[in-house]
Amino acid sequence: MGAEIPGILKLKCSVKRYQWGKVGKDSRVGRLYANNSKEEIRGDEPYAEFWMGTHESGPSYAVVPVEENGGLPNGGLQRANGPKRNYCDLMSLKDWIRRNPHVLGDKVLQKWGPDLPFLFKVLSVAKVLSIQAHPDKDLAAILHKREPGVYKDDNHKPEMALAITEFEALCGFVSLEEFKSVVRNVPEIIEVVGTASAHQALNIREDDGDKKLKEVLHTLFTKLMSTSKIIISEVVLKLIRRLNIAREVRQLTDKEELVLRLEKQFPGDVGVLAAFLLNYVKLNTGEALYVPANEPHAYIHGECVECMATSDNVVRAGLTPKTLDVQTLCSMLTYKQGFPEILRGVPSNPYTVKYLPPFDEFEVDRCILPREKSTTFPAVPGPSVFVVISGEAVMRLPFSEELVTEGDVIFAPANTAITVETTSGLNLCRAGVNSKFFE
């Protein structure tokens, strides 16, 4: 089959109703999914994640043309300069790409095979997600082989969260200076890990070397996370009593206020104590946080666009009713210390900002297009997925066009320029393969 130029391909996407998601119409994920699927929002149900991609845990479906005899013409491709057909059938995006692998572009196909290398999501977070980390490729292969029911694939999962509202997260271990401050000022942690570990932490210095610093943090964190639930719940109770008394005589720190919030969501959980050891990150709209493999993190509240390598592997150790794997989490972490890098993006044009994390699989563009304006996403050598966060616009390829509105998701093949024009205003996000991969 020759490499036809496809027209605009709309996708029907999946939703995840995890308990931490925002409920009903308060959830942007709920609104996007309702518009995308033409389903009613259920007012009492959480809508946590909107998935756009090929992962089997939440696949997207290509809306493809059907011939009168019921067959799929041209591998499910709509020729851009061919006759219009009625769209009335669905094919999984994974299968559609396998039938039309040229849509990925040569370099992407050569590197990752006939599949989309990234998974794109929108998250609506009402309650904290688990303290978790995602394995690197080597560990992912081991975990998938050992427990395929828990670890669904053998891929790594570096990720990036781009805030579309104010967004809170825990990410990475605090600096050495803050680590010592926590050990000095949170007696409940000393009660759990013991005075020997605390003494070791307080006496370590930067010039002891990276390896020693990581060993001390590894030992203390593992002791904390491995302590019995009974002891932890008693100590957390003491912590909450102490903080409630303290707030009557002084202003609590941001981290202390956060810990009180987390405890209300997960009473007696070890994650309440562990939060003291992690950086508390507050993103403004338009700021992004990237998380490499083997780094601890937990999203707390807000809404974001998230992109990652195509994987659903999560190792959890607290703040969740789901399965915990404390031993694996504590052994896999890098134990790097310091505040994570915040990306503010690089303008591509007056309306579009590009976010480039240090991972080959993906990048994200955020386009805020005012009324009566247009912009062009230039042709790139890899595939793109667009999601309309709000507003509406006309998307144009050289030989086809489509009106898109909130909740519409579009797949654009490699080497395809797309012009977007709006009369009412548009908030649009795009995921694609990292531009640096093609350099």
Side-chain angles (χ1 to χ4, degrees), residues 377-410:
F377 290 87
V380 292
S384 299
V385 174
F386 294 85
V387 57
V388 180
I389 302 296
S390 62
E392 66 176 40
V394 174
M395 295 187 90
R396 289 194 178 92
L397 276 68
F399 300 102
S400 66
E401 64 179 50
E402 186 93 32
L403 178 68
V404 294
T405 61
E406 181 177 340
D408 278 337
V409 180
I410 302 296

PDB file of all heavy atoms in Angstrom, residues 377-410:
ATOM      1  N   PHE A 377       0.723  24.655  13.058  1.00  0.00           N
ATOM      2  CA  PHE A 377       1.656  23.681  13.613  1.00  0.00           C
ATOM      3  C   PHE A 377       2.418  23.101  12.420  1.00  0.00           C
ATOM      4  O   PHE A 377       1.832  22.392  11.595  1.00  0.00           O
ATOM      5  CB  PHE A 377       0.910  22.578  14.367  1.00  0.00           C
ATOM      6  CG  PHE A 377       0.298  23.049  15.647  1.00  0.00           C
ATOM      7  CD1 PHE A 377      -0.970  23.619  15.666  1.00  0.00           C
ATOM      8  CD2 PHE A 377       0.983  22.936  16.849  1.00  0.00           C
ATOM      9  CE1 PHE A 377      -1.544  24.064  16.844  1.00  0.00           C
ATOM     10  CE2 PHE A 377       0.423  23.382  18.039  1.00  0.00           C
ATOM     11  CZ  PHE A 377      -0.844  23.951  18.033  1.00  0.00           C
ATOM     12  N   PRO A 378       3.699  23.404  12.283  1.00  0.00           N
ATOM     13  CA  PRO A 378       4.429  22.971  11.087  1.00  0.00           C
ATOM     14  C   PRO A 378       4.574  21.458  11.033  1.00  0.00           C
ATOM     15  O   PRO A 378       4.466  20.769  12.062  1.00  0.00           O
ATOM     16  CB  PRO A 378       5.801  23.649  11.239  1.00  0.00           C
ATOM     17  CG  PRO A 378       5.928  23.971  12.682  1.00  0.00           C
ATOM     18  CD  PRO A 378       4.552  24.183  13.212  1.00  0.00           C
ATOM     19  N   ALA A 379       4.789  20.947   9.835  1.00  0.00           N
ATOM     20  CA  ALA A 379       5.010  19.515   9.656  1.00  0.00           C
ATOM     21  C   ALA A 379       6.244  19.077  10.442  1.00  0.00           C
ATOM     22  O   ALA A 379       7.268  19.758  10.439  1.00  0.00           O
ATOM     23  CB  ALA A 379       5.179  19.199   8.178  1.00  0.00           C
ATOM     24  N   VAL A 380       6.129  17.954  11.146  1.00  0.00           N
ATOM     25  CA  VAL A 380       7.253  17.395  11.894  1.00  0.00           C
ATOM     26  C   VAL A 380       7.417  15.929  11.476  1.00  0.00           C
ATOM     27  O   VAL A 380       6.469  15.316  10.963  1.00  0.00           O
ATOM     28  CB  VAL A 380       7.022  17.493  13.428  1.00  0.00           C
ATOM     29  CG1 VAL A 380       7.057  18.941  13.875  1.00  0.00           C
ATOM     30  CG2 VAL A 380       5.704  16.845  13.845  1.00  0.00           C
ATOM     31  N   PRO A 381       8.591  15.331  11.721  1.00  0.00           N
ATOM     32  CA  PRO A 381       8.835  13.981  11.201  1.00  0.00           C
ATOM     33  C   PRO A 381       8.163  12.859  11.989  1.00  0.00           C
ATOM     34  O   PRO A 381       8.372  11.685  11.684  1.00  0.00           O
ATOM     35  CB  PRO A 381      10.367  13.842  11.281  1.00  0.00           C
ATOM     36  CG  PRO A 381      10.893  15.207  11.536  1.00  0.00           C
ATOM     37  CD  PRO A 381       9.825  15.951  12.243  1.00  0.00           C
ATOM     38  N   GLY A 382       7.376  13.208  13.023  1.00  0.00           N
ATOM     39  CA  GLY A 382       6.694  12.190  13.820  1.00  0.00           C
ATOM     40  C   GLY A 382       5.223  12.511  13.980  1.00  0.00           C
ATOM     41  O   GLY A 382       4.749  13.588  13.596  1.00  0.00           O
ATOM     42  N   PRO A 383       4.446  11.588  14.584  1.00  0.00           N
ATOM     43  CA  PRO A 383       3.005  11.778  14.757  1.00  0.00           C
ATOM     44  C   PRO A 383       2.681  12.766  15.867  1.00  0.00           C
ATOM     45  O   PRO A 383       3.506  13.028  16.743  1.00  0.00           O
ATOM     46  CB  PRO A 383       2.520  10.372  15.138  1.00  0.00           C
ATOM     47  CG  PRO A 383       3.686   9.791  15.885  1.00  0.00           C
ATOM     48  CD  PRO A 383       4.914  10.323  15.191  1.00  0.00           C
ATOM     49  N   SER A 384       1.468  13.312  15.835  1.00  0.00           N
ATOM     50  CA  SER A 384       0.991  14.227  16.875  1.00  0.00           C
ATOM     51  C   SER A 384      -0.415  13.836  17.300  1.00  0.00           C
ATOM     52  O   SER A 384      -1.185  13.297  16.503  1.00  0.00           O
ATOM     53  CB  SER A 384       0.958  15.677  16.367  1.00  0.00           C
ATOM     54  OG  SER A 384       2.236  16.126  15.997  1.00  0.00           O
ATOM     55  N   VAL A 385      -0.737  14.120  18.571  1.00  0.00           N
ATOM     56  CA  VAL A 385      -2.107  13.994  19.074  1.00  0.00           C
ATOM     57  C   VAL A 385      -2.492  15.344  19.668  1.00  0.00           C
ATOM     58  O   VAL A 385      -1.760  15.889  20.500  1.00  0.00           O
ATOM     59  CB  VAL A 385      -2.231  12.875  20.129  1.00  0.00           C
ATOM     60  CG1 VAL A 385      -3.635  12.879  20.732  1.00  0.00           C
ATOM     61  CG2 VAL A 385      -1.922  11.508  19.508  1.00  0.00           C
ATOM     62  N   PHE A 386      -3.626  15.887  19.204  1.00  0.00           N
ATOM     63  CA  PHE A 386      -4.138  17.170  19.683  1.00  0.00           C
ATOM     64  C   PHE A 386      -5.389  16.934  20.526  1.00  0.00           C
ATOM     65  O   PHE A 386      -6.222  16.087  20.169  1.00  0.00           O
ATOM     66  CB  PHE A 386      -4.535  18.074  18.511  1.00  0.00           C
ATOM     67  CG  PHE A 386      -3.388  18.519  17.641  1.00  0.00           C
ATOM     68  CD1 PHE A 386      -2.938  17.728  16.601  1.00  0.00           C
ATOM     69  CD2 PHE A 386      -2.780  19.755  17.845  1.00  0.00           C
ATOM     70  CE1 PHE A 386      -1.896  18.142  15.777  1.00  0.00           C
ATOM     71  CE2 PHE A 386      -1.738  20.183  17.022  1.00  0.00           C
ATOM     72  CZ  PHE A 386      -1.296  19.377  15.996  1.00  0.00           C
ATOM     73  N   VAL A 387      -5.548  17.700  21.610  1.00  0.00           N
ATOM     74  CA  VAL A 387      -6.791  17.678  22.378  1.00  0.00           C
ATOM     75  C   VAL A 387      -7.262  19.119  22.584  1.00  0.00           C
ATOM     76  O   VAL A 387      -6.469  19.996  22.941  1.00  0.00           O
ATOM     77  CB  VAL A 387      -6.632  16.951  23.739  1.00  0.00           C
ATOM     78  CG1 VAL A 387      -5.537  17.574  24.604  1.00  0.00           C
ATOM     79  CG2 VAL A 387      -7.960  16.921  24.501  1.00  0.00           C
ATOM     80  N   VAL A 388      -8.553  19.332  22.326  1.00  0.00           N
ATOM     81  CA  VAL A 388      -9.149  20.657  22.548  1.00  0.00           C
ATOM     82  C   VAL A 388      -9.597  20.731  24.002  1.00  0.00           C
ATOM     83  O   VAL A 388     -10.541  20.048  24.420  1.00  0.00           O
ATOM     84  CB  VAL A 388     -10.335  20.898  21.591  1.00  0.00           C
ATOM     85  CG1 VAL A 388     -10.938  22.287  21.849  1.00  0.00           C
ATOM     86  CG2 VAL A 388      -9.901  20.770  20.132  1.00  0.00           C
ATOM     87  N   ILE A 389      -8.908  21.556  24.785  1.00  0.00           N
ATOM     88  CA  ILE A 389      -9.234  21.714  26.212  1.00  0.00           C
ATOM     89  C   ILE A 389     -10.485  22.580  26.378  1.00  0.00           C
ATOM     90  O   ILE A 389     -11.349  22.308  27.208  1.00  0.00           O
ATOM     91  CB  ILE A 389      -8.046  22.334  26.972  1.00  0.00           C
ATOM     92  CG1 ILE A 389      -6.780  21.461  26.822  1.00  0.00           C
ATOM     93  CG2 ILE A 389      -8.377  22.546  28.445  1.00  0.00           C
ATOM     94  CD1 ILE A 389      -6.884  20.082  27.422  1.00  0.00           C
ATOM     95  N   SER A 390     -10.589  23.625  25.558  1.00  0.00           N
ATOM     96  CA  SER A 390     -11.797  24.466  25.569  1.00  0.00           C
ATOM     97  C   SER A 390     -11.827  25.274  24.276  1.00  0.00           C
ATOM     98  O   SER A 390     -10.821  25.431  23.591  1.00  0.00           O
ATOM     99  CB  SER A 390     -11.809  25.404  26.790  1.00  0.00           C
ATOM    100  OG  SER A 390     -10.706  26.290  26.762  1.00  0.00           O
ATOM    101  N   GLY A 391     -13.018  25.796  23.958  1.00  0.00           N
ATOM    102  CA  GLY A 391     -13.190  26.592  22.756  1.00  0.00           C
ATOM    103  C   GLY A 391     -13.463  25.738  21.533  1.00  0.00           C
ATOM    104  O   GLY A 391     -13.725  24.532  21.631  1.00  0.00           O
ATOM    105  N   GLU A 392     -13.417  26.392  20.366  1.00  0.00           N
ATOM    106  CA  GLU A 392     -13.601  25.661  19.124  1.00  0.00           C
ATOM    107  C   GLU A 392     -12.799  26.330  18.013  1.00  0.00           C
ATOM    108  O   GLU A 392     -12.413  27.501  18.113  1.00  0.00           O
ATOM    109  CB  GLU A 392     -15.075  25.556  18.738  1.00  0.00           C
ATOM    110  CG  GLU A 392     -15.745  26.860  18.380  1.00  0.00           C
ATOM    111  CD  GLU A 392     -17.181  26.642  17.914  1.00  0.00           C
ATOM    112  OE1 GLU A 392     -17.881  25.800  18.494  1.00  0.00           O
ATOM    113  OE2 GLU A 392     -17.587  27.336  16.967  1.00  0.00           O
ATOM    114  N   ALA A 393     -12.535  25.559  16.954  1.00  0.00           N
ATOM    115  CA  ALA A 393     -11.724  26.077  15.852  1.00  0.00           C
ATOM    116  C   ALA A 393     -11.927  25.196  14.629  1.00  0.00           C
ATOM    117  O   ALA A 393     -12.487  24.098  14.715  1.00  0.00           O
ATOM    118  CB  ALA A 393     -10.253  26.100  16.241  1.00  0.00           C
ATOM    119  N   VAL A 394     -11.446  25.682  13.499  1.00  0.00           N
ATOM    120  CA  VAL A 394     -11.353  24.875  12.289  1.00  0.00           C
ATOM    121  C   VAL A 394      -9.900  24.435  12.143  1.00  0.00           C
ATOM    122  O   VAL A 394      -8.985  25.265  12.193  1.00  0.00           O
ATOM    123  CB  VAL A 394     -11.803  25.658  11.045  1.00  0.00           C
ATOM    124  CG1 VAL A 394     -11.556  24.842   9.781  1.00  0.00           C
ATOM    125  CG2 VAL A 394     -13.280  26.029  11.167  1.00  0.00           C
ATOM    126  N   MET A 395      -9.689  23.109  12.016  1.00  0.00           N
ATOM    127  CA  MET A 395      -8.351  22.566  11.755  1.00  0.00           C
ATOM    128  C   MET A 395      -8.257  22.260  10.270  1.00  0.00           C
ATOM    129  O   MET A 395      -9.131  21.597   9.714  1.00  0.00           O
ATOM    130  CB  MET A 395      -8.088  21.312  12.579  1.00  0.00           C
ATOM    131  CG  MET A 395      -8.054  21.538  14.065  1.00  0.00           C
ATOM    132  SD  MET A 395      -7.545  20.069  14.993  1.00  0.00           S
ATOM    133  CE  MET A 395      -5.786  20.291  15.054  1.00  0.00           C
ATOM    134  N   ARG A 396      -7.172  22.716   9.648  1.00  0.00           N
ATOM    135  CA  ARG A 396      -7.027  22.537   8.200  1.00  0.00           C
ATOM    136  C   ARG A 396      -5.731  21.818   7.868  1.00  0.00           C
ATOM    137  O   ARG A 396      -4.657  22.185   8.349  1.00  0.00           O
ATOM    138  CB  ARG A 396      -7.025  23.888   7.482  1.00  0.00           C
ATOM    139  CG  ARG A 396      -8.374  24.572   7.456  1.00  0.00           C
ATOM    140  CD  ARG A 396      -8.406  25.726   6.457  1.00  0.00           C
ATOM    141  NE  ARG A 396      -9.735  26.327   6.423  1.00  0.00           N
ATOM    142  CZ  ARG A 396     -10.113  27.344   7.175  1.00  0.00           C
ATOM    143  NH1 ARG A 396      -9.253  27.873   8.026  1.00  0.00           N
ATOM    144  NH2 ARG A 396     -11.339  27.827   7.087  1.00  0.00           N
ATOM    145  N   LEU A 397      -5.840  20.798   7.028  1.00  0.00           N
ATOM    146  CA  LEU A 397      -4.720  20.205   6.326  1.00  0.00           C
ATOM    147  C   LEU A 397      -4.757  20.757   4.909  1.00  0.00           C
ATOM    148  O   LEU A 397      -5.713  21.448   4.552  1.00  0.00           O
ATOM    149  CB  LEU A 397      -4.843  18.678   6.300  1.00  0.00           C
ATOM    150  CG  LEU A 397      -4.329  17.922   7.535  1.00  0.00           C
ATOM    151  CD1 LEU A 397      -5.202  18.196   8.741  1.00  0.00           C
ATOM    152  CD2 LEU A 397      -4.260  16.427   7.263  1.00  0.00           C
ATOM    153  N   PRO A 398      -3.750  20.446   4.098  1.00  0.00           N
ATOM    154  CA  PRO A 398      -3.772  21.012   2.737  1.00  0.00           C
ATOM    155  C   PRO A 398      -5.064  20.730   1.959  1.00  0.00           C
ATOM    156  O   PRO A 398      -5.510  21.567   1.187  1.00  0.00           O
ATOM    157  CB  PRO A 398      -2.568  20.333   2.077  1.00  0.00           C
ATOM    158  CG  PRO A 398      -1.621  20.093   3.195  1.00  0.00           C
ATOM    159  CD  PRO A 398      -2.480  19.769   4.384  1.00  0.00           C
ATOM    160  N   PHE A 399      -5.682  19.540   2.173  1.00  0.00           N
ATOM    161  CA  PHE A 399      -6.846  19.195   1.351  1.00  0.00           C
ATOM    162  C   PHE A 399      -8.092  18.845   2.169  1.00  0.00           C
ATOM    163  O   PHE A 399      -9.046  18.277   1.639  1.00  0.00           O
ATOM    164  CB  PHE A 399      -6.507  18.015   0.430  1.00  0.00           C
ATOM    165  CG  PHE A 399      -5.368  18.301  -0.498  1.00  0.00           C
ATOM    166  CD1 PHE A 399      -4.104  17.796  -0.233  1.00  0.00           C
ATOM    167  CD2 PHE A 399      -5.538  19.102  -1.613  1.00  0.00           C
ATOM    168  CE1 PHE A 399      -3.041  18.059  -1.082  1.00  0.00           C
ATOM    169  CE2 PHE A 399      -4.477  19.371  -2.461  1.00  0.00           C
ATOM    170  CZ  PHE A 399      -3.230  18.849  -2.194  1.00  0.00           C
ATOM    171  N   SER A 400      -8.082  19.109   3.460  1.00  0.00           N
ATOM    172  CA  SER A 400      -9.274  18.787   4.254  1.00  0.00           C
ATOM    173  C   SER A 400      -9.351  19.713   5.457  1.00  0.00           C
ATOM    174  O   SER A 400      -8.363  20.332   5.845  1.00  0.00           O
ATOM    175  CB  SER A 400      -9.250  17.321   4.706  1.00  0.00           C
ATOM    176  OG  SER A 400      -8.185  17.100   5.602  1.00  0.00           O
ATOM    177  N   GLU A 401     -10.538  19.808   6.032  1.00  0.00           N
ATOM    178  CA  GLU A 401     -10.712  20.629   7.230  1.00  0.00           C
ATOM    179  C   GLU A 401     -11.800  20.019   8.104  1.00  0.00           C
ATOM    180  O   GLU A 401     -12.634  19.241   7.644  1.00  0.00           O
ATOM    181  CB  GLU A 401     -11.043  22.068   6.877  1.00  0.00           C
ATOM    182  CG  GLU A 401     -12.360  22.264   6.160  1.00  0.00           C
ATOM    183  CD  GLU A 401     -12.616  23.745   5.880  1.00  0.00           C
ATOM    184  OE1 GLU A 401     -11.731  24.436   5.333  1.00  0.00           O
ATOM    185  OE2 GLU A 401     -13.730  24.198   6.214  1.00  0.00           O
ATOM    186  N   GLU A 402     -11.769  20.383   9.393  1.00  0.00           N
ATOM    187  CA  GLU A 402     -12.717  19.818  10.354  1.00  0.00           C
ATOM    188  C   GLU A 402     -12.953  20.845  11.451  1.00  0.00           C
ATOM    189  O   GLU A 402     -12.012  21.483  11.942  1.00  0.00           O
ATOM    190  CB  GLU A 402     -12.126  18.543  10.968  1.00  0.00           C
ATOM    191  CG  GLU A 402     -13.065  17.796  11.877  1.00  0.00           C
ATOM    192  CD  GLU A 402     -13.846  16.709  11.166  1.00  0.00           C
ATOM    193  OE1 GLU A 402     -13.332  16.103  10.216  1.00  0.00           O
ATOM    194  OE2 GLU A 402     -14.999  16.486  11.587  1.00  0.00           O
ATOM    195  N   LEU A 403     -14.221  21.024  11.842  1.00  0.00           N
ATOM    196  CA  LEU A 403     -14.540  21.847  13.015  1.00  0.00           C
ATOM    197  C   LEU A 403     -14.270  21.006  14.255  1.00  0.00           C
ATOM    198  O   LEU A 403     -14.753  19.879  14.363  1.00  0.00           O
ATOM    199  CB  LEU A 403     -16.005  22.286  12.978  1.00  0.00           C
ATOM    200  CG  LEU A 403     -16.467  23.111  14.191  1.00  0.00           C
ATOM    201  CD1 LEU A 403     -15.795  24.483  14.204  1.00  0.00           C
ATOM    202  CD2 LEU A 403     -17.988  23.259  14.199  1.00  0.00           C
ATOM    203  N   VAL A 404     -13.489  21.542  15.189  1.00  0.00           N
ATOM    204  CA  VAL A 404     -13.189  20.824  16.426  1.00  0.00           C
ATOM    205  C   VAL A 404     -13.640  21.664  17.614  1.00  0.00           C
ATOM    206  O   VAL A 404     -13.530  22.890  17.598  1.00  0.00           O
ATOM    207  CB  VAL A 404     -11.689  20.476  16.541  1.00  0.00           C
ATOM    208  CG1 VAL A 404     -11.280  19.479  15.469  1.00  0.00           C
ATOM    209  CG2 VAL A 404     -10.804  21.718  16.477  1.00  0.00           C
ATOM    210  N   THR A 405     -14.155  20.985  18.633  1.00  0.00           N
ATOM    211  CA  THR A 405     -14.649  21.655  19.832  1.00  0.00           C
ATOM    212  C   THR A 405     -14.126  20.932  21.070  1.00  0.00           C
ATOM    213  O   THR A 405     -13.455  19.891  20.967  1.00  0.00           O
ATOM    214  CB  THR A 405     -16.190  21.671  19.855  1.00  0.00           C
ATOM    215  OG1 THR A 405     -16.669  20.317  19.864  1.00  0.00           O
ATOM    216  CG2 THR A 405     -16.757  22.381  18.640  1.00  0.00           C
ATOM    217  N   GLU A 406     -14.451  21.475  22.239  1.00  0.00           N
ATOM    218  CA  GLU A 406     -13.977  20.924  23.509  1.00  0.00           C
ATOM    219  C   GLU A 406     -14.193  19.405  23.580  1.00  0.00           C
ATOM    220  O   GLU A 406     -15.287  18.910  23.344  1.00  0.00           O
ATOM    221  CB  GLU A 406     -14.727  21.606  24.663  1.00  0.00           C
ATOM    222  CG  GLU A 406     -14.304  21.118  26.039  1.00  0.00           C
ATOM    223  CD  GLU A 406     -15.015  21.857  27.166  1.00  0.00           C
ATOM    224  OE1 GLU A 406     -15.525  22.979  26.923  1.00  0.00           O
ATOM    225  OE2 GLU A 406     -15.063  21.319  28.282  1.00  0.00           O
ATOM    226  N   GLY A 407     -13.120  18.682  23.909  1.00  0.00           N
ATOM    227  CA  GLY A 407     -13.196  17.232  24.023  1.00  0.00           C
ATOM    228  C   GLY A 407     -12.791  16.490  22.767  1.00  0.00           C
ATOM    229  O   GLY A 407     -12.563  15.277  22.804  1.00  0.00           O
ATOM    230  N   ASP A 408     -12.682  17.200  21.635  1.00  0.00           N
ATOM    231  CA  ASP A 408     -12.232  16.528  20.410  1.00  0.00           C
ATOM    232  C   ASP A 408     -10.742  16.206  20.514  1.00  0.00           C
ATOM    233  O   ASP A 408      -9.939  17.012  21.008  1.00  0.00           O
ATOM    234  CB  ASP A 408     -12.480  17.405  19.179  1.00  0.00           C
ATOM    235  CG  ASP A 408     -13.915  17.317  18.677  1.00  0.00           C
ATOM    236  OD1 ASP A 408     -14.585  16.306  18.966  1.00  0.00           O
ATOM    237  OD2 ASP A 408     -14.366  18.253  17.997  1.00  0.00           O
ATOM    238  N   VAL A 409     -10.397  15.010  20.033  1.00  0.00           N
ATOM    239  CA  VAL A 409      -9.003  14.565  20.003  1.00  0.00           C
ATOM    240  C   VAL A 409      -8.678  14.171  18.564  1.00  0.00           C
ATOM    241  O   VAL A 409      -9.437  13.436  17.928  1.00  0.00           O
ATOM    242  CB  VAL A 409      -8.773  13.372  20.954  1.00  0.00           C
ATOM    243  CG1 VAL A 409      -7.316  12.919  20.909  1.00  0.00           C
ATOM    244  CG2 VAL A 409      -9.160  13.751  22.391  1.00  0.00           C
ATOM    245  N   ILE A 410      -7.558  14.674  18.064  1.00  0.00           N
ATOM    246  CA  ILE A 410      -7.184  14.512  16.667  1.00  0.00           C
ATOM    247  C   ILE A 410      -5.811  13.847  16.578  1.00  0.00           C
ATOM    248  O   ILE A 410      -4.877  14.252  17.286  1.00  0.00           O
ATOM    249  CB  ILE A 410      -7.108  15.888  15.961  1.00  0.00           C
ATOM    250  CG1 ILE A 410      -8.445  16.639  16.063  1.00  0.00           C
ATOM    251  CG2 ILE A 410      -6.662  15.733  14.513  1.00  0.00           C
ATOM    252  CD1 ILE A 410      -9.595  15.985  15.359  1.00  0.00           C
TER     253      ILE A 410
END
